[in-house]
Amino acid sequence: MRWWLKARRIHTTLLTSYAVFVALVLLLQDVVADLPSFLTGGDNPVVAILMAPVPLYAALMVSLESRLPAAEDTGTRPVRLMDAGLVLTVIAAAALAGTVIGLSFASSSALAVGRNTAFLVGLTLCTRPLIGSPAVMTPVAWLLAVMLFGFDHGHPYFWSVLPRANDDPIALTAAAVSLALGLVGQMTLRPRAIS
Amino acid sequence: MNLPKQLRISSALWASPVALGLTLFYFYVTFTDDYPNSRGEIDYAPEVVSFALNPASALAYAAAAALAAWESGRLTAGGVWAAAPARSPYHVAAQALFPVLLLSWLMLLIPVVGGLISEGVSPTLACLPLLGMSMFVTIAHCVIGFALGRAVPRLIAAPALAMAVFYAVAASASSGETFWPRHVLGEYHGVLAFGTTLPLKALAPHMIFAGGIAAGAAVLLTRPRSYRTRLALPAVAAVMAVAGPTAAYAQVSSWGASTPVSVGHAQMTCQGDKPEVCVPAAGSADPGRARADVVAVVADLARAGAVVRMPTTVQDSIINGNQSRSSTTRTWLLPLTSSQRHGTTRYETLSQAVRYPCPEPKEEVASRSVKLWAAQIAGVSRHYMKQQRAEINQIANGDELLRVVQKRVERVRAMPAERQAAWYRHELKRACVAPPDTEGAS
């Protein structure tokens, strides 16, 4: 267990990123800016907190990518199970931070941060078996798509997930499905070697 | 390493379908839907360039910073920095950054060149400053991304930089009451109207801001021999990275929402003397015809007894861009090119020929009455009424007001000429006196 914690750089990279993530949620919870829309030509209000999970999911990816192949491939330790546990722990920690901050500052945008982290982590894990470590850019593509195409005169489309209301069933389902698919992929498929 | 191989192994190649696809889509949408609504009366190449670069540069900067961080991480992972230094680190960095820079510049140039071609506007030298500034800031973002990619794992640096740079630059125009971000982050958020250019004073803050940070980042790449220099290096880098943005901030901190632009950059063709009438040559309007219309309106009004001083010069107001300069009694600014295209020069002249003795008339009925009277004298009352009906909808009981005005002018027009002239002079003064109560007198 201890070698796994160290090999995954959990005590350094992941904890630092978690601190950055919490700081971002605190700082960005009320930041809104008008971004250009590529569909209507007008501007759409986009909340900056959508980007708060970026350092956290990226650090999680760094963690999962820092492997010791020789020791892990022997199969004497349940490494994949531990990795899945790590993913779920990170998401739970993000949701906890979002809930605490959201409730104590009465900010509804911070409450959605757990769901959004789950969705983005799921997206990353879904594409990781296909393209390896560049999968870390998949959520960036999604975020850009949401910012540029995801709004119809200020209202987010159903597929955009991230800026939807907290109790939106489609967004919750999407986050759950993407995370489940990502975990299944991680448990069953061998990740591509670092390119 | 030769160029094809360099391009093949670069992350820029894998990013290019997304980056160029977005750019092409953006270009298609803006130039089919948006630009036709905001284009000026006269084709002007810098206007197209400023329009094309507005959100495109945010995407280009984000791509430059993120891909540079990725490439830098690739070099670190490949152990390039640990190897014995056979080449200068700048050479190594330049080779790795070249494909990234190429892609980011393409993301700027595709909308610009495409826009110029699809609008059929030939590029001029005046396009270059804005485009050059954007290309310079792209280089700076490449260097910043490269330095960050050495310090932070690339899997974190690349996505974080992509989102942070895109959001910061694209959102800099809507930063509420804080105006400085839009003047320093590398994107000009306005549209350069005809005859407008950005002076060096407006472009320099963008370049100093990003360039200062990039210079600091570049210093970190040196590998000094002596231990002391190596210790001083981070301090030097930090000073440079702080000095650039501070200098840029100091320059723009007092600016308001809009960037200072320099106006009046157009070649004019003029005709006549007293009044000398000037229109921009690019608009292909006829200054002779414009002059005839202006002179005729002034003569008509003078014949009817209204005192109008003939201006010494009449200039096309289009060259002032979006800045409104007000006319004086000697120099009139009229939208001559557009009015000649729509056949409304006589009507536009009226707005200057009828001069209230105050800057802004305060009494609705009197001010509109004298305008309508003058419009009838100049023979453009139909156009005036059309404009008034469009404008009056915004005022409460505007229709009633307009009917009162029409009835008054009808009554005055039935009077002998001298009485009309006296009424006109009296009414001009009355327009400047604020009404005693909001009901207004008829």
Side-chain angles (χ1 to χ4, degrees), chain A residues 33-34 38 41 46 48 51 58 62 136 140 149 195, chain B residues 22 25-26 29 34 55 154-156 159 167 171 174:
Chain A
D34 288 333
F38 277 18
V46 179
M51 306 184 298
V62 172
V136 80
V140 171
F149 307 108
S195 57
Chain B
L22 262 182
F25 181 80
Y26 152 73
V29 169
D34 295 350
R154 63 170 162 170
L155 290 180
I156 298 178
Y167 195 86
S174 69

mmCIF file with all atom_site columns, all heavy atoms in Angstrom, chain A residues 33-34 38 41 46 48 51 58 62 136 140 149 195, chain B residues 22 25-26 29 34 55 154-156 159 167 171 174:
data_model
loop_
_atom_site.group_PDB
_atom_site.id
_atom_site.type_symbol
_atom_site.label_atom_id
_atom_site.label_alt_id
_atom_site.label_comp_id
_atom_site.label_asym_id
_atom_site.label_entity_id
_atom_site.label_seq_id
_atom_site.pdbx_PDB_ins_code
_atom_site.Cartn_x
_atom_site.Cartn_y
_atom_site.Cartn_z
_atom_site.occupancy
_atom_site.B_iso_or_equiv
_atom_site.pdbx_formal_charge
_atom_site.auth_seq_id
_atom_site.auth_comp_id
_atom_site.auth_asym_id
_atom_site.auth_atom_id
_atom_site.pdbx_PDB_model_num
ATOM 1   N N   . ALA A 1 33  ? -18.255 35.584 -16.673 1.00 0.00 ? 33  ALA A N   1
ATOM 2   C CA  . ALA A 1 33  ? -17.800 36.471 -17.738 1.00 0.00 ? 33  ALA A CA  1
ATOM 3   C C   . ALA A 1 33  ? -18.552 36.132 -19.005 1.00 0.00 ? 33  ALA A C   1
ATOM 4   O O   . ALA A 1 33  ? -19.008 35.004 -19.196 1.00 0.00 ? 33  ALA A O   1
ATOM 5   C CB  . ALA A 1 33  ? -16.304 36.308 -17.961 1.00 0.00 ? 33  ALA A CB  1
ATOM 6   N N   . ASP A 1 34  ? -18.712 37.137 -19.858 1.00 0.00 ? 34  ASP A N   1
ATOM 7   C CA  . ASP A 1 34  ? -19.359 36.906 -21.146 1.00 0.00 ? 34  ASP A CA  1
ATOM 8   C C   . ASP A 1 34  ? -18.335 36.397 -22.126 1.00 0.00 ? 34  ASP A C   1
ATOM 9   O O   . ASP A 1 34  ? -17.363 37.079 -22.436 1.00 0.00 ? 34  ASP A O   1
ATOM 10  C CB  . ASP A 1 34  ? -19.974 38.208 -21.660 1.00 0.00 ? 34  ASP A CB  1
ATOM 11  C CG  . ASP A 1 34  ? -21.200 38.567 -20.855 1.00 0.00 ? 34  ASP A CG  1
ATOM 12  O OD1 . ASP A 1 34  ? -21.820 37.638 -20.319 1.00 0.00 ? 34  ASP A OD1 1
ATOM 13  O OD2 . ASP A 1 34  ? -21.527 39.749 -20.767 1.00 0.00 ? 34  ASP A OD2 1
ATOM 14  N N   . PHE A 1 38  ? -20.063 30.805 -30.558 1.00 0.00 ? 38  PHE A N   1
ATOM 15  C CA  . PHE A 1 38  ? -19.813 30.546 -31.971 1.00 0.00 ? 38  PHE A CA  1
ATOM 16  C C   . PHE A 1 38  ? -21.084 30.174 -32.716 1.00 0.00 ? 38  PHE A C   1
ATOM 17  O O   . PHE A 1 38  ? -21.068 30.002 -33.909 1.00 0.00 ? 38  PHE A O   1
ATOM 18  C CB  . PHE A 1 38  ? -18.784 29.409 -32.111 1.00 0.00 ? 38  PHE A CB  1
ATOM 19  C CG  . PHE A 1 38  ? -17.374 29.900 -31.982 1.00 0.00 ? 38  PHE A CG  1
ATOM 20  C CD1 . PHE A 1 38  ? -17.106 31.121 -31.405 1.00 0.00 ? 38  PHE A CD1 1
ATOM 21  C CD2 . PHE A 1 38  ? -16.312 29.153 -32.458 1.00 0.00 ? 38  PHE A CD2 1
ATOM 22  C CE1 . PHE A 1 38  ? -15.817 31.585 -31.280 1.00 0.00 ? 38  PHE A CE1 1
ATOM 23  C CE2 . PHE A 1 38  ? -15.017 29.614 -32.337 1.00 0.00 ? 38  PHE A CE2 1
ATOM 24  C CZ  . PHE A 1 38  ? -14.765 30.823 -31.748 1.00 0.00 ? 38  PHE A CZ  1
ATOM 25  N N   . GLY A 1 41  ? -23.225 34.252 -32.322 1.00 0.00 ? 41  GLY A N   1
ATOM 26  C CA  . GLY A 1 41  ? -22.488 35.478 -32.543 1.00 0.00 ? 41  GLY A CA  1
ATOM 27  C C   . GLY A 1 41  ? -22.560 36.426 -31.366 1.00 0.00 ? 41  GLY A C   1
ATOM 28  O O   . GLY A 1 41  ? -21.778 37.340 -31.273 1.00 0.00 ? 41  GLY A O   1
ATOM 29  N N   . VAL A 1 46  ? -20.685 32.798 -18.873 1.00 0.00 ? 46  VAL A N   1
ATOM 30  C CA  . VAL A 1 46  ? -20.116 31.498 -18.507 1.00 0.00 ? 46  VAL A CA  1
ATOM 31  C C   . VAL A 1 46  ? -19.467 31.649 -17.143 1.00 0.00 ? 46  VAL A C   1
ATOM 32  O O   . VAL A 1 46  ? -18.650 32.554 -16.937 1.00 0.00 ? 46  VAL A O   1
ATOM 33  C CB  . VAL A 1 46  ? -19.068 31.049 -19.542 1.00 0.00 ? 46  VAL A CB  1
ATOM 34  C CG1 . VAL A 1 46  ? -18.473 29.717 -19.129 1.00 0.00 ? 46  VAL A CG1 1
ATOM 35  C CG2 . VAL A 1 46  ? -19.687 30.930 -20.918 1.00 0.00 ? 46  VAL A CG2 1
ATOM 36  N N   . ALA A 1 48  ? -16.906 30.864 -14.229 1.00 0.00 ? 48  ALA A N   1
ATOM 37  C CA  . ALA A 1 48  ? -15.519 30.383 -14.254 1.00 0.00 ? 48  ALA A CA  1
ATOM 38  C C   . ALA A 1 48  ? -15.354 29.104 -13.463 1.00 0.00 ? 48  ALA A C   1
ATOM 39  O O   . ALA A 1 48  ? -14.391 28.370 -13.671 1.00 0.00 ? 48  ALA A O   1
ATOM 40  C CB  . ALA A 1 48  ? -14.598 31.461 -13.715 1.00 0.00 ? 48  ALA A CB  1
ATOM 41  N N   . MET A 1 51  ? -14.272 25.583 -14.648 1.00 0.00 ? 51  MET A N   1
ATOM 42  C CA  . MET A 1 51  ? -12.890 25.164 -14.887 1.00 0.00 ? 51  MET A CA  1
ATOM 43  C C   . MET A 1 51  ? -12.192 24.708 -13.614 1.00 0.00 ? 51  MET A C   1
ATOM 44  O O   . MET A 1 51  ? -11.053 24.257 -13.681 1.00 0.00 ? 51  MET A O   1
ATOM 45  C CB  . MET A 1 51  ? -12.099 26.317 -15.496 1.00 0.00 ? 51  MET A CB  1
ATOM 46  C CG  . MET A 1 51  ? -12.727 26.883 -16.736 1.00 0.00 ? 51  MET A CG  1
ATOM 47  S SD  . MET A 1 51  ? -11.683 28.138 -17.438 1.00 0.00 ? 51  MET A SD  1
ATOM 48  C CE  . MET A 1 51  ? -11.648 29.311 -16.116 1.00 0.00 ? 51  MET A CE  1
ATOM 49  N N   . ALA A 1 58  ? -6.570  16.621 -13.725 1.00 0.00 ? 58  ALA A N   1
ATOM 50  C CA  . ALA A 1 58  ? -5.267  16.473 -14.384 1.00 0.00 ? 58  ALA A CA  1
ATOM 51  C C   . ALA A 1 58  ? -4.265  15.814 -13.440 1.00 0.00 ? 58  ALA A C   1
ATOM 52  O O   . ALA A 1 58  ? -3.500  14.932 -13.847 1.00 0.00 ? 58  ALA A O   1
ATOM 53  C CB  . ALA A 1 58  ? -4.762  17.832 -14.834 1.00 0.00 ? 58  ALA A CB  1
ATOM 54  N N   . VAL A 1 62  ? -2.127  12.410 -13.699 1.00 0.00 ? 62  VAL A N   1
ATOM 55  C CA  . VAL A 1 62  ? -0.687  12.267 -13.436 1.00 0.00 ? 62  VAL A CA  1
ATOM 56  C C   . VAL A 1 62  ? -0.452  11.089 -12.503 1.00 0.00 ? 62  VAL A C   1
ATOM 57  O O   . VAL A 1 62  ? 0.416   10.248 -12.718 1.00 0.00 ? 62  VAL A O   1
ATOM 58  C CB  . VAL A 1 62  ? -0.113  13.556 -12.825 1.00 0.00 ? 62  VAL A CB  1
ATOM 59  C CG1 . VAL A 1 62  ? 1.321   13.339 -12.369 1.00 0.00 ? 62  VAL A CG1 1
ATOM 60  C CG2 . VAL A 1 62  ? -0.179  14.687 -13.814 1.00 0.00 ? 62  VAL A CG2 1
ATOM 61  N N   . VAL A 1 136 ? -5.928  13.471 -21.280 1.00 0.00 ? 136 VAL A N   1
ATOM 62  C CA  . VAL A 1 136 ? -6.122  14.551 -20.322 1.00 0.00 ? 136 VAL A CA  1
ATOM 63  C C   . VAL A 1 136 ? -6.672  15.814 -21.010 1.00 0.00 ? 136 VAL A C   1
ATOM 64  O O   . VAL A 1 136 ? -7.210  16.700 -20.348 1.00 0.00 ? 136 VAL A O   1
ATOM 65  C CB  . VAL A 1 136 ? -4.786  14.829 -19.587 1.00 0.00 ? 136 VAL A CB  1
ATOM 66  C CG1 . VAL A 1 136 ? -3.868  15.675 -20.410 1.00 0.00 ? 136 VAL A CG1 1
ATOM 67  C CG2 . VAL A 1 136 ? -5.023  15.425 -18.226 1.00 0.00 ? 136 VAL A CG2 1
ATOM 68  N N   . VAL A 1 140 ? -10.771 19.265 -21.753 1.00 0.00 ? 140 VAL A N   1
ATOM 69  C CA  . VAL A 1 140 ? -10.557 20.622 -22.280 1.00 0.00 ? 140 VAL A CA  1
ATOM 70  C C   . VAL A 1 140 ? -11.389 20.820 -23.531 1.00 0.00 ? 140 VAL A C   1
ATOM 71  O O   . VAL A 1 140 ? -12.050 21.857 -23.702 1.00 0.00 ? 140 VAL A O   1
ATOM 72  C CB  . VAL A 1 140 ? -9.061  20.856 -22.580 1.00 0.00 ? 140 VAL A CB  1
ATOM 73  C CG1 . VAL A 1 140 ? -8.865  22.164 -23.312 1.00 0.00 ? 140 VAL A CG1 1
ATOM 74  C CG2 . VAL A 1 140 ? -8.266  20.848 -21.296 1.00 0.00 ? 140 VAL A CG2 1
ATOM 75  N N   . PHE A 1 149 ? -20.134 26.530 -27.845 1.00 0.00 ? 149 PHE A N   1
ATOM 76  C CA  . PHE A 1 149 ? -21.359 26.095 -28.522 1.00 0.00 ? 149 PHE A CA  1
ATOM 77  C C   . PHE A 1 149 ? -22.481 25.727 -27.566 1.00 0.00 ? 149 PHE A C   1
ATOM 78  O O   . PHE A 1 149 ? -23.577 25.414 -28.006 1.00 0.00 ? 149 PHE A O   1
ATOM 79  C CB  . PHE A 1 149 ? -21.090 24.851 -29.386 1.00 0.00 ? 149 PHE A CB  1
ATOM 80  C CG  . PHE A 1 149 ? -19.963 25.000 -30.342 1.00 0.00 ? 149 PHE A CG  1
ATOM 81  C CD1 . PHE A 1 149 ? -18.770 24.339 -30.137 1.00 0.00 ? 149 PHE A CD1 1
ATOM 82  C CD2 . PHE A 1 149 ? -20.091 25.807 -31.458 1.00 0.00 ? 149 PHE A CD2 1
ATOM 83  C CE1 . PHE A 1 149 ? -17.719 24.472 -31.023 1.00 0.00 ? 149 PHE A CE1 1
ATOM 84  C CE2 . PHE A 1 149 ? -19.046 25.944 -32.337 1.00 0.00 ? 149 PHE A CE2 1
ATOM 85  C CZ  . PHE A 1 149 ? -17.854 25.284 -32.132 1.00 0.00 ? 149 PHE A CZ  1
ATOM 86  N N   . SER A 1 195 ? 3.113   7.752  -24.323 1.00 0.00 ? 195 SER A N   1
ATOM 87  C CA  . SER A 1 195 ? 3.646   8.072  -25.654 1.00 0.00 ? 195 SER A CA  1
ATOM 88  C C   . SER A 1 195 ? 4.529   9.300  -25.588 1.00 0.00 ? 195 SER A C   1
ATOM 89  O O   . SER A 1 195 ? 4.341   10.141 -24.750 1.00 0.00 ? 195 SER A O   1
ATOM 90  C CB  . SER A 1 195 ? 2.522   8.309  -26.645 1.00 0.00 ? 195 SER A CB  1
ATOM 91  O OG  . SER A 1 195 ? 1.689   9.333  -26.169 1.00 0.00 ? 195 SER A OG  1
ATOM 92  N N   . LEU B 2 22  ? -12.000 24.262 -35.307 1.00 0.00 ? 22  LEU B N   1
ATOM 93  C CA  . LEU B 2 22  ? -12.677 25.335 -34.572 1.00 0.00 ? 22  LEU B CA  1
ATOM 94  C C   . LEU B 2 22  ? -12.494 26.669 -35.269 1.00 0.00 ? 22  LEU B C   1
ATOM 95  O O   . LEU B 2 22  ? -13.433 27.446 -35.418 1.00 0.00 ? 22  LEU B O   1
ATOM 96  C CB  . LEU B 2 22  ? -12.091 25.441 -33.158 1.00 0.00 ? 22  LEU B CB  1
ATOM 97  C CG  . LEU B 2 22  ? -12.831 24.775 -32.015 1.00 0.00 ? 22  LEU B CG  1
ATOM 98  C CD1 . LEU B 2 22  ? -12.102 25.044 -30.724 1.00 0.00 ? 22  LEU B CD1 1
ATOM 99  C CD2 . LEU B 2 22  ? -14.236 25.315 -31.937 1.00 0.00 ? 22  LEU B CD2 1
ATOM 100 N N   . PHE B 2 25  ? -14.554 26.847 -38.434 1.00 0.00 ? 25  PHE B N   1
ATOM 101 C CA  . PHE B 2 25  ? -15.969 26.981 -38.130 1.00 0.00 ? 25  PHE B CA  1
ATOM 102 C C   . PHE B 2 25  ? -16.277 28.399 -37.661 1.00 0.00 ? 25  PHE B C   1
ATOM 103 O O   . PHE B 2 25  ? -17.246 29.021 -38.096 1.00 0.00 ? 25  PHE B O   1
ATOM 104 C CB  . PHE B 2 25  ? -16.374 25.977 -37.052 1.00 0.00 ? 25  PHE B CB  1
ATOM 105 C CG  . PHE B 2 25  ? -17.825 26.035 -36.712 1.00 0.00 ? 25  PHE B CG  1
ATOM 106 C CD1 . PHE B 2 25  ? -18.755 25.407 -37.515 1.00 0.00 ? 25  PHE B CD1 1
ATOM 107 C CD2 . PHE B 2 25  ? -18.269 26.741 -35.605 1.00 0.00 ? 25  PHE B CD2 1
ATOM 108 C CE1 . PHE B 2 25  ? -20.099 25.476 -37.220 1.00 0.00 ? 25  PHE B CE1 1
ATOM 109 C CE2 . PHE B 2 25  ? -19.614 26.809 -35.311 1.00 0.00 ? 25  PHE B CE2 1
ATOM 110 C CZ  . PHE B 2 25  ? -20.533 26.175 -36.117 1.00 0.00 ? 25  PHE B CZ  1
ATOM 111 N N   . TYR B 2 26  ? -15.392 28.908 -36.791 1.00 0.00 ? 26  TYR B N   1
ATOM 112 C CA  . TYR B 2 26  ? -15.576 30.266 -36.284 1.00 0.00 ? 26  TYR B CA  1
ATOM 113 C C   . TYR B 2 26  ? -15.569 31.274 -37.438 1.00 0.00 ? 26  TYR B C   1
ATOM 114 O O   . TYR B 2 26  ? -16.404 32.171 -37.522 1.00 0.00 ? 26  TYR B O   1
ATOM 115 C CB  . TYR B 2 26  ? -14.476 30.604 -35.281 1.00 0.00 ? 26  TYR B CB  1
ATOM 116 C CG  . TYR B 2 26  ? -14.175 32.055 -35.218 1.00 0.00 ? 26  TYR B CG  1
ATOM 117 C CD1 . TYR B 2 26  ? -15.077 32.915 -34.617 1.00 0.00 ? 26  TYR B CD1 1
ATOM 118 C CD2 . TYR B 2 26  ? -13.044 32.588 -35.821 1.00 0.00 ? 26  TYR B CD2 1
ATOM 119 C CE1 . TYR B 2 26  ? -14.846 34.261 -34.603 1.00 0.00 ? 26  TYR B CE1 1
ATOM 120 C CE2 . TYR B 2 26  ? -12.809 33.923 -35.812 1.00 0.00 ? 26  TYR B CE2 1
ATOM 121 C CZ  . TYR B 2 26  ? -13.711 34.752 -35.206 1.00 0.00 ? 26  TYR B CZ  1
ATOM 122 O OH  . TYR B 2 26  ? -13.479 36.092 -35.216 1.00 0.00 ? 26  TYR B OH  1
ATOM 123 N N   . VAL B 2 29  ? -18.834 31.087 -39.382 1.00 0.00 ? 29  VAL B N   1
ATOM 124 C CA  . VAL B 2 29  ? -19.990 31.664 -38.694 1.00 0.00 ? 29  VAL B CA  1
ATOM 125 C C   . VAL B 2 29  ? -19.903 33.179 -38.657 1.00 0.00 ? 29  VAL B C   1
ATOM 126 O O   . VAL B 2 29  ? -20.849 33.881 -39.004 1.00 0.00 ? 29  VAL B O   1
ATOM 127 C CB  . VAL B 2 29  ? -20.111 31.103 -37.257 1.00 0.00 ? 29  VAL B CB  1
ATOM 128 C CG1 . VAL B 2 29  ? -21.137 31.884 -36.468 1.00 0.00 ? 29  VAL B CG1 1
ATOM 129 C CG2 . VAL B 2 29  ? -20.492 29.650 -37.309 1.00 0.00 ? 29  VAL B CG2 1
ATOM 130 N N   . ASP B 2 34  ? -22.284 37.402 -38.669 1.00 0.00 ? 34  ASP B N   1
ATOM 131 C CA  . ASP B 2 34  ? -22.049 38.589 -37.845 1.00 0.00 ? 34  ASP B CA  1
ATOM 132 C C   . ASP B 2 34  ? -21.524 39.776 -38.623 1.00 0.00 ? 34  ASP B C   1
ATOM 133 O O   . ASP B 2 34  ? -22.001 40.880 -38.473 1.00 0.00 ? 34  ASP B O   1
ATOM 134 C CB  . ASP B 2 34  ? -21.036 38.269 -36.737 1.00 0.00 ? 34  ASP B CB  1
ATOM 135 C CG  . ASP B 2 34  ? -21.578 37.251 -35.781 1.00 0.00 ? 34  ASP B CG  1
ATOM 136 O OD1 . ASP B 2 34  ? -22.779 36.966 -35.903 1.00 0.00 ? 34  ASP B OD1 1
ATOM 137 O OD2 . ASP B 2 34  ? -20.823 36.766 -34.950 1.00 0.00 ? 34  ASP B OD2 1
ATOM 138 N N   . PRO B 2 55  ? -12.414 36.841 -31.242 1.00 0.00 ? 55  PRO B N   1
ATOM 139 C CA  . PRO B 2 55  ? -12.206 35.668 -30.382 1.00 0.00 ? 55  PRO B CA  1
ATOM 140 C C   . PRO B 2 55  ? -11.150 34.709 -30.909 1.00 0.00 ? 55  PRO B C   1
ATOM 141 O O   . PRO B 2 55  ? -10.692 33.856 -30.156 1.00 0.00 ? 55  PRO B O   1
ATOM 142 C CB  . PRO B 2 55  ? -13.567 34.997 -30.334 1.00 0.00 ? 55  PRO B CB  1
ATOM 143 C CG  . PRO B 2 55  ? -14.425 35.690 -31.297 1.00 0.00 ? 55  PRO B CG  1
ATOM 144 C CD  . PRO B 2 55  ? -13.622 36.683 -32.043 1.00 0.00 ? 55  PRO B CD  1
ATOM 145 N N   . ARG B 2 154 ? 3.442   17.913 -17.397 1.00 0.00 ? 154 ARG B N   1
ATOM 146 C CA  . ARG B 2 154 ? 2.735   18.412 -18.580 1.00 0.00 ? 154 ARG B CA  1
ATOM 147 C C   . ARG B 2 154 ? 1.262   18.027 -18.573 1.00 0.00 ? 154 ARG B C   1
ATOM 148 O O   . ARG B 2 154 ? 0.424   18.720 -19.134 1.00 0.00 ? 154 ARG B O   1
ATOM 149 C CB  . ARG B 2 154 ? 3.399   17.892 -19.845 1.00 0.00 ? 154 ARG B CB  1
ATOM 150 C CG  . ARG B 2 154 ? 3.355   16.384 -19.971 1.00 0.00 ? 154 ARG B CG  1
ATOM 151 C CD  . ARG B 2 154 ? 3.800   15.958 -21.330 1.00 0.00 ? 154 ARG B CD  1
ATOM 152 N NE  . ARG B 2 154 ? 4.154   14.532 -21.319 1.00 0.00 ? 154 ARG B NE  1
ATOM 153 C CZ  . ARG B 2 154 ? 4.394   13.827 -22.394 1.00 0.00 ? 154 ARG B CZ  1
ATOM 154 N NH1 . ARG B 2 154 ? 4.350   14.422 -23.562 1.00 0.00 ? 154 ARG B NH1 1
ATOM 155 N NH2 . ARG B 2 154 ? 4.700   12.558 -22.326 1.00 0.00 ? 154 ARG B NH2 1
ATOM 156 N N   . LEU B 2 155 ? 0.949   16.911 -17.919 1.00 0.00 ? 155 LEU B N   1
ATOM 157 C CA  . LEU B 2 155 ? -0.454  16.497 -17.889 1.00 0.00 ? 155 LEU B CA  1
ATOM 158 C C   . LEU B 2 155 ? -1.301  17.495 -17.115 1.00 0.00 ? 155 LEU B C   1
ATOM 159 O O   . LEU B 2 155 ? -2.511  17.576 -17.306 1.00 0.00 ? 155 LEU B O   1
ATOM 160 C CB  . LEU B 2 155 ? -0.590  15.110 -17.259 1.00 0.00 ? 155 LEU B CB  1
ATOM 161 C CG  . LEU B 2 155 ? -0.047  13.955 -18.091 1.00 0.00 ? 155 LEU B CG  1
ATOM 162 C CD1 . LEU B 2 155 ? -0.240  12.638 -17.367 1.00 0.00 ? 155 LEU B CD1 1
ATOM 163 C CD2 . LEU B 2 155 ? -0.730  13.901 -19.440 1.00 0.00 ? 155 LEU B CD2 1
ATOM 164 N N   . ILE B 2 156 ? -0.681  18.252 -16.227 1.00 0.00 ? 156 ILE B N   1
ATOM 165 C CA  . ILE B 2 156 ? -1.423  19.294 -15.507 1.00 0.00 ? 156 ILE B CA  1
ATOM 166 C C   . ILE B 2 156 ? -1.280  20.626 -16.229 1.00 0.00 ? 156 ILE B C   1
ATOM 167 O O   . ILE B 2 156 ? -2.257  21.352 -16.425 1.00 0.00 ? 156 ILE B O   1
ATOM 168 C CB  . ILE B 2 156 ? -0.908  19.434 -14.054 1.00 0.00 ? 156 ILE B CB  1
ATOM 169 C CG1 . ILE B 2 156 ? -1.137  18.130 -13.297 1.00 0.00 ? 156 ILE B CG1 1
ATOM 170 C CG2 . ILE B 2 156 ? -1.607  20.575 -13.346 1.00 0.00 ? 156 ILE B CG2 1
ATOM 171 C CD1 . ILE B 2 156 ? -0.621  18.155 -11.883 1.00 0.00 ? 156 ILE B CD1 1
ATOM 172 N N   . PRO B 2 159 ? -3.623  21.158 -19.848 1.00 0.00 ? 159 PRO B N   1
ATOM 173 C CA  . PRO B 2 159 ? -5.046  21.514 -19.744 1.00 0.00 ? 159 PRO B CA  1
ATOM 174 C C   . PRO B 2 159 ? -5.284  22.782 -18.939 1.00 0.00 ? 159 PRO B C   1
ATOM 175 O O   . PRO B 2 159 ? -6.143  23.592 -19.298 1.00 0.00 ? 159 PRO B O   1
ATOM 176 C CB  . PRO B 2 159 ? -5.684  20.297 -19.069 1.00 0.00 ? 159 PRO B CB  1
ATOM 177 C CG  . PRO B 2 159 ? -4.587  19.538 -18.459 1.00 0.00 ? 159 PRO B CG  1
ATOM 178 C CD  . PRO B 2 159 ? -3.364  19.824 -19.255 1.00 0.00 ? 159 PRO B CD  1
ATOM 179 N N   . TYR B 2 167 ? -9.941  31.421 -21.122 1.00 0.00 ? 167 TYR B N   1
ATOM 180 C CA  . TYR B 2 167 ? -10.958 32.122 -20.357 1.00 0.00 ? 167 TYR B CA  1
ATOM 181 C C   . TYR B 2 167 ? -10.521 33.555 -20.052 1.00 0.00 ? 167 TYR B C   1
ATOM 182 O O   . TYR B 2 167 ? -11.294 34.499 -20.222 1.00 0.00 ? 167 TYR B O   1
ATOM 183 C CB  . TYR B 2 167 ? -11.253 31.365 -19.058 1.00 0.00 ? 167 TYR B CB  1
ATOM 184 C CG  . TYR B 2 167 ? -12.521 31.820 -18.386 1.00 0.00 ? 167 TYR B CG  1
ATOM 185 C CD1 . TYR B 2 167 ? -13.738 31.284 -18.747 1.00 0.00 ? 167 TYR B CD1 1
ATOM 186 C CD2 . TYR B 2 167 ? -12.494 32.796 -17.399 1.00 0.00 ? 167 TYR B CD2 1
ATOM 187 C CE1 . TYR B 2 167 ? -14.910 31.696 -18.156 1.00 0.00 ? 167 TYR B CE1 1
ATOM 188 C CE2 . TYR B 2 167 ? -13.662 33.217 -16.798 1.00 0.00 ? 167 TYR B CE2 1
ATOM 189 C CZ  . TYR B 2 167 ? -14.865 32.656 -17.172 1.00 0.00 ? 167 TYR B CZ  1
ATOM 190 O OH  . TYR B 2 167 ? -16.026 33.082 -16.582 1.00 0.00 ? 167 TYR B OH  1
ATOM 191 N N   . ALA B 2 171 ? -12.548 36.457 -21.861 1.00 0.00 ? 171 ALA B N   1
ATOM 192 C CA  . ALA B 2 171 ? -13.440 37.139 -20.930 1.00 0.00 ? 171 ALA B CA  1
ATOM 193 C C   . ALA B 2 171 ? -12.942 38.530 -20.571 1.00 0.00 ? 171 ALA B C   1
ATOM 194 O O   . ALA B 2 171 ? -13.603 39.241 -19.836 1.00 0.00 ? 171 ALA B O   1
ATOM 195 C CB  . ALA B 2 171 ? -13.584 36.309 -19.658 1.00 0.00 ? 171 ALA B CB  1
ATOM 196 N N   . SER B 2 174 ? -15.280 41.510 -20.718 1.00 0.00 ? 174 SER B N   1
ATOM 197 C CA  . SER B 2 174 ? -16.476 41.633 -19.885 1.00 0.00 ? 174 SER B CA  1
ATOM 198 C C   . SER B 2 174 ? -16.094 41.582 -18.416 1.00 0.00 ? 174 SER B C   1
ATOM 199 O O   . SER B 2 174 ? -16.741 40.930 -17.624 1.00 0.00 ? 174 SER B O   1
ATOM 200 C CB  . SER B 2 174 ? -17.447 40.513 -20.199 1.00 0.00 ? 174 SER B CB  1
ATOM 201 O OG  . SER B 2 174 ? -16.939 39.285 -19.752 1.00 0.00 ? 174 SER B OG  1
#
